[in-house]
């Protein structure tokens, strides 16, 4: 197996010219694309249609360019919100060969990507242990799919998860089952939180037997240091992409991660860069969050009190700026809403490198 | 002369409890206060009333606490906008003694603060060379007032300048004189720009004889590396506060500055910190700006196209985050709108240190 | 007793020039002012400091102008948010004489205003029946104070109520008592809702014995057709102002009300105007709300899904526009957040008239 | 010729389910669709991608459903911004037969729709008399195309016009020609204004010979009472849709218009309704604008000073609310930005009726 990561600038959510040019230059082959992660320039909140717009454009684009057999489905994960210096772009993740086919000539572990899906959830399962368990199972399968043999080799787990729609609430009410929340917006947080705890359980970061329903979106001490989850109304199951390193993979790419302890913890990324001097930093993947206590480094912040700008927008601007400074490039993937993804107020940061 | 700088957290624009406590603890003496710089939590744009609210509260507070003779007038400079991690606070600048009275025992230059004012401007002077010249003269006087003997010892020049109000426009029209702009909002930029060029001329950063009216808010190659200007409707003259170092001043405080070449140039502040190892960083003063070309480090940014969030708000969030990471503290003074204050897309950053 | 209502335009939250001019013209006497209702131009949400700014300015103003004995305390009720055509202004309510002293020469009922306060609440009482009962009691006393003898003569009940602050939550936790919510923002809705139900109980609009704690902010069928409540952190009790008509009052002013069944029900105000042909419409007082079902007249609205503009802001813009059209004047009092104040999606509208 | 207008609710910019259902119910035939006007739920400003998203979805939809020959191109005019009660929807305009083929059996004029295009403009023509003249010519041709024989029978002229992009500015600079503005956002206003004056000239509302370049976006006394123009980057020519009545057209639909003198002039629409008692109001088409003087009915409004919400958003919320009240339905077409479209602060309002 050989995996690669390439970033393509986007002039708009529907701008496919960069992807077209990259294919023509031979930078990636459309039939090998496993996933596209996008940063689109909407508000990243409820009424952000740039995500759907980009997906519609990407599907039409890949349907047009691919003559050969492609993977059944490319996984599209669009994250809205390019506040501050964050630059709209697509991250194309390619994979050729199977996990078992790699023979890493130089004995180094290389980037390995695996995917998996959960079953479709019933509304009453969302934000509960039932979702946690199904995600944990899918993460374990994706790790296998990637040919990763140790939990320590998993460095980023991107999960796309469902939310509760008005229709699903109506269905649940008609069956007289209770839901974790009656609020569509809040269900996004519960679904993200349960998904993150599922990853944490699969990777041994939290002990599944010690996890109760009451921990979800309450006990922030339990978290995954590598999970990045986002909720959307376009699916009823969870889609999992695991990024890690494996001896079964070959090629110059590899990945590592650290944990930002708060939104201005640029030292977390700096530490990663210091580990691989001379290597090319290909992409940064991170989660941003306004500290829910309203305080950072002992100072009051106003992000949670601002009724004009959503706190996730503030947080992305800050984390994007800090990581752009440290990494020297503002075209990075920083997403908001970090329930159980890294510690309270902080979040995971992963970096993909390319050996020269 | 002895000058000091102290920061006081504010729980709201009208929260004077921190100032009260600081006086009670003997951290500063109200009768020695020369200026208060504030970061207040409004939007920092046209309809930001947190600035006026804070000034009303501060005036009432200082009128209440001072029994002794005070300076004729404390200079209040409120900058709205605490996006991201920026923490609302007041910076109290105190000064005792006169510039000439200092005898710096250890031969080191110490923080010296001087103030001056221009005459009242006629509307038609704003944003033109007439304003540039008057500000240049005031900056020169403030440098003298501070007892600073070399332009190289000036590290931050805070200028509060007027804007064109509808009333002033009416007055000008009735006298049939032309104005630099017919747009109230734009007059803020012109006034900031002319003020900054005035500082630049006074400090020899641009050659006055080579400066034409057409340069103002057009030719961004001409700028001051130490000016920070903000426009407001509450005054009709310019108020200048010069921060620098002088052998005539004593005490542990001193100041230095650098120029951020863009919004993520944290290395500028890092360089300052590296010059004074072991010293306490007391305050950071900086200007933030979205690059007017829409590009940063070769990547497109969306700050100028965002009709939901003003670009100055994006820029403050980024610069605040980067400098908070580098300096380790989010309670810093970062203000927006940087016409002729530092290079295009960048801006001055000053740091006040305290020798231990 | 003689009560009057006068509106004063405000150029800014701290603009007292209109009030000053009105006093000089003899339009009202400062020592007779019972209450000032304001529409200020902030966002009307959590971080709206224009309310506090206006109150600070008003208190300083009235402290300055009153030589004579004044009522112990003027009641200040500031409502933020002047979206669309709504014009920032102050409504000054004056009252001279006592309720019992009026002798209405012409046998007509005239405007009568009464005020009352509840005791200070413990945090655990907020949003619960305990608050409902205390408000009901205060409303009854304010009705008496106004000399109003029939519930049918009460047409507008403005209530200012507390919210749960972080400090109060901490206090409650330390005493191990449970609160109605752990969310400061949500506590505003609970407090508004309980206050409105208190008014409804006092006025016989809902049967107190049939009211349970579970009705509060859940059962929207129970509401007051005359309550207008707003929550703020500046008080720990409820302040009640009752507007109605009484035979004990004299003068040309009187008030009436109707219920808007949704945000575009201008016919409610039109009906009031049609009742009093030839009279001067002095002021309109109304509540605005985005229908919580996301539908109005069978059409989807996007107010609840908009992460850029708070739904209360959308709703005020609409109701303000509709009532400004019907009444012919955009300088009216329209406030947002209508829990149990009028039916779901609708709200009370009162009109003060002056007989010619 | 037979023309019809039908409204289709949209659950999202890409929601084609209503259109699909309408075709299945036989409410319109896709091959007869001449134009689709949409209200989409973005901010209606620069970074509103809901317009492009809807167009992408509509093009794919109509490409899928049409088996038969269709008009060479459907004209898509998307207007962003559904503030307040405005409900996202599509207005489908169908036309069968040619203008000359109609024989109106009952002697009544019926709805007639005509379309035309200008040539492609060079950048330096935009916002200038050259654009005015080309639009005037196209409007005249569209009137002919509609079989409308008198200017008095034209009631709404929807024009989609280009703006200046950065690329076009670069091209112009390289050819050393001057442009009407160097600001992309402002070019939208100039293009809308010149287009509206073109319609006014074609329809005899302003005298072409008396029109100078200096009138464009300056002299608001010159305007069209029926033009509704919107600028976009997706075309380099102007596209014109004329709505009027003609004896050559048949069918139950007809159209009329009035002029709102300000944003709360609901009486304009009320007057139209009063002219056709008993008829069904099919659709309302209107323009919204914040009065550029900052005053409405003698009262200050804050729409132009609000740095959090664009004034076009405020204005749409108000006009949408007022017209929804008068017409009884919030699913109407209200668009913002009214340079030379109706008087200063006001705008045209047209109503399509269906005889019963």
């Amino acid at each position: 197996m050989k995996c690669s990561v390439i970033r393509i600038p986007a002039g708009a959510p529907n701008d496919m010219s960069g992807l077209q040019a990259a294919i023509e230059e031979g930078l990636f082959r459309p039939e090998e694309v496993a996933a596209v992660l996008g940063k689109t320039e909407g508000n990243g909140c409820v009424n952000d249609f740039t995500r759907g717009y980009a997906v519609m454009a990407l599907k039409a684009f890949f349907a047009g360019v691919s003559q050969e057999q492609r993977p059944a489905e490319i996984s599209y994960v669009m994250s809205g919100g390019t506040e501050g210096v964050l630059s709209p772009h697509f991250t194309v993740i390619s994979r050729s060969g199977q996990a078992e086919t790699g023979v890493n000539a130089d004995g180094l572990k290389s980037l390995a990507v695996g995917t998996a899906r959960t079953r479709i959830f019933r509304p009453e399962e969302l934000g509960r242990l039932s979702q946690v368990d199904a995600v944990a199972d899918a993460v374990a399968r994706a790790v296998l799919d990637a040919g990763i043999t140790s939990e320590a080799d998993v460095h980023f787990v991107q999960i796309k998860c469902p939310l509760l729609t008005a229709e699903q609430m109506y269905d649940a009410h008609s069956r007289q089952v209770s839901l974790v929340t009656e609020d569509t917006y809040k269900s996004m947080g519960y679904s993200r939180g349960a998904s993150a705890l599922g990853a944490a359980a699969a990777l041994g970061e939290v002990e599944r037997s010690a996890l109760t329903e009451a921990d979800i979106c309450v006990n922030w001490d339990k978290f995954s240091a590598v999970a990045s989850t986002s909720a959307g109304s376009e699916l009823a199951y969870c889609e999992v992409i695991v990024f890690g390193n494996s001896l079964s993979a070959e090629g110059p790419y590899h990945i590592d991660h650290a944990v930002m302890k708060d939104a201005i913890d640029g030292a977390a990324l700096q530490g990663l860069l210091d580990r691989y001097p001379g290597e090319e930093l290909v992409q940064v993947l991170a989660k941003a969050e306004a500290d829910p206590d309203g305080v950072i480094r002992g100072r009051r912040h106003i992000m949670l009190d601002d009724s004009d700008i959503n706190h996730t927008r503030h947080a992305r601007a800050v984390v994007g700026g800090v990581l752009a400074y440290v990494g020297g490039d503002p075209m990075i993937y920083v997403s908001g809403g970090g329930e159980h993804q890294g510690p309270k107020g902080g979040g995971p940061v992963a970096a993909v490198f390319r050996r020269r």
Side-chain angles (χ1 to χ4, degrees), chain A residues 271-340:
Chain A
L272 290 177
L273 298 181
D274 293 345
R275 279 186 214 162
Y276 308 100
E279 296 199 7
E280 179 194 355
L281 177 64
V282 173
Q283 176 62 304
V284 175
L285 306 156
K287 268 286 178 178
E289 185 177 69
D291 191 289
D293 289 343
V295 173
I296 178 165
R297 304 267 171 117
R299 306 300 191 186
R300 180 172 76 98
H301 69 75
I302 57 82
M303 298 188 260
L304 302 172
D305 293 333
D306 191 341
S307 302
D308 298 313
I309 302 178
N310 196 299
H311 61 85
T312 53
R313 307 201 72 181
H314 280 285
R316 275 191 298 264
V318 171
V319 173
V322 169
L323 298 183
Y325 161 52
V326 174
D329 191 336
M331 200 166 82
I332 53 180
Y333 182 89
V334 176
S335 132
E339 297 86 355
H340 300 296

Side-chain angles (χ1 to χ4, degrees), chain A residues 53 58 62 66 73 80-81 85 99 107 109 122 125 135 138 164-165 176 199 224 255 289 291 311 320 330 341 356:
Chain A
Y53 190 15
L58 286 164
F62 280 106
S66 285
E73 206 173 323
V85 296
K109 290 176 182 171
R122 290 191 307 280
E125 294 182 291
V135 169
L164 288 173
T165 63
Q176 298 191 308
S224 168
I255 188 168
E289 185 177 69
D291 191 289
H311 61 85
Q341 301 149 66
R356 292 183 200 267

Side-chain angles (χ1 to χ4, degrees), chain A residues 120-128 131 162-165 167-173 175 177-181 187 236:
Chain A
I120 286 175
F121 293 109
R122 290 191 307 280
E124 61 267 34
E125 294 182 291
L126 277 199
R128 288 178 170 156
Q131 183 181 1
L163 50 79
L164 288 173
T165 63
E167 287 77 15
Q168 288 178 309
M169 287 183 182
Y170 182 82
D171 161 65
H173 294 162
R175 290 185 292 115
V177 295
S178 83
L179 299 172
V180 70
T181 176
S187 76

